[in-house]
Amino acid sequence: MGLFRTVFMNVAGVHDESKKGSYEWKKEHMSPDQLARTMDNQEKYSGVPAIPVDIGYHGGKNVGGSQQTGVISNAASNPGVILGMGLTTAALLGMFKSSFLGDKVGAQKMMQYRIMAQFFTVTALVAGVTIFGATYEDEAHQK
């Protein structure tokens, strides 16, 4: 229960009985034998599911049919998207600068540049996906 609610309830003279169904209340009212079994189970079973060693620690096995990828390898496979994102960011920053300086014509120009850069980014993304789809060969068909 939150600190504010606790203080408010104490000032109002209301005692909170919602603790009755909570884990702490059950723990306080368990027999010593039940409490010992519960504590053993808590040590044995955590709330975090186990991750298999071959997946969690890169055991060198191909699982799930996917390859390990990273940001750098993805950027290298389609650099047009990264370039388009940079151009879009530059146009946005230029638009903000022009807006803050009160240059309405310059802000409009930068908005147009931003739209062009976004079009370039989306076109590069679609082209990259199309090229990847056309050149992709499944490992099962190679064998």
Side-chain angles (χ1 to χ4, degrees):
M1 183 168 27
L3 180 65
F4 178 75
R5 183 174 175 196
T6 305
V7 171
F8 182 73
M9 298 292 258
N10 287 338
V11 169
V14 178
H15 298 290
D16 190 20
E17 295 295 325
S18 65
K19 189 178 176 188
K20 197 168 198 176
S22 71
Y23 179 73
E24 287 82 19
W25 185 86
K26 290 177 184 175
K27 204 161 102 175
E28 291 172 4
H29 294 85
M30 281 184 188
S31 68
D33 184 44
Q34 289 175 328
L35 186 60
R37 276 187 275 138
T38 303
M39 296 307 257
D40 288 342
N41 284 342
Q42 280 182 340
E43 291 173 6
K44 191 184 291 185
Y45 304 109
S46 72
V48 180
I51 298 174
V53 174
D54 60 341
I55 296 172
Y57 298 105
H58 305 294
K61 299 178 184 175
N62 277 340
V63 290
S66 63
Q67 296 176 344
Q68 180 182 353
T69 61
V71 175
I72 302 299
S73 64
N74 286 339
S77 68
N78 197 352
V81 174
I82 303 300
L83 177 66
M85 288 171 47
L87 291 174
T88 304
T89 304
L92 272 173
L93 292 175
M95 182 185 71
F96 289 146
K97 180 183 173 191
S98 297
S99 295
F100 289 136
L101 294 177
D103 182 16
K104 292 181 181 181
V105 176
Q108 283 292 328
K109 266 296 183 208
M110 287 296 170
M111 285 184 203
Q112 292 172 358
Y113 292 150
R114 178 190 57 87
I115 292 170
M116 288 182 234
Q118 284 180 321
F119 178 75
F120 174 78
T121 305
V122 171
T123 304
L125 185 65
V126 171
V129 169
T130 304
I131 291 169
F132 176 76
T135 60
Y136 179 74
E137 292 183 14
D138 194 11
E139 288 181 14
H141 289 104
Q142 288 178 353
K143 292 180 181 181

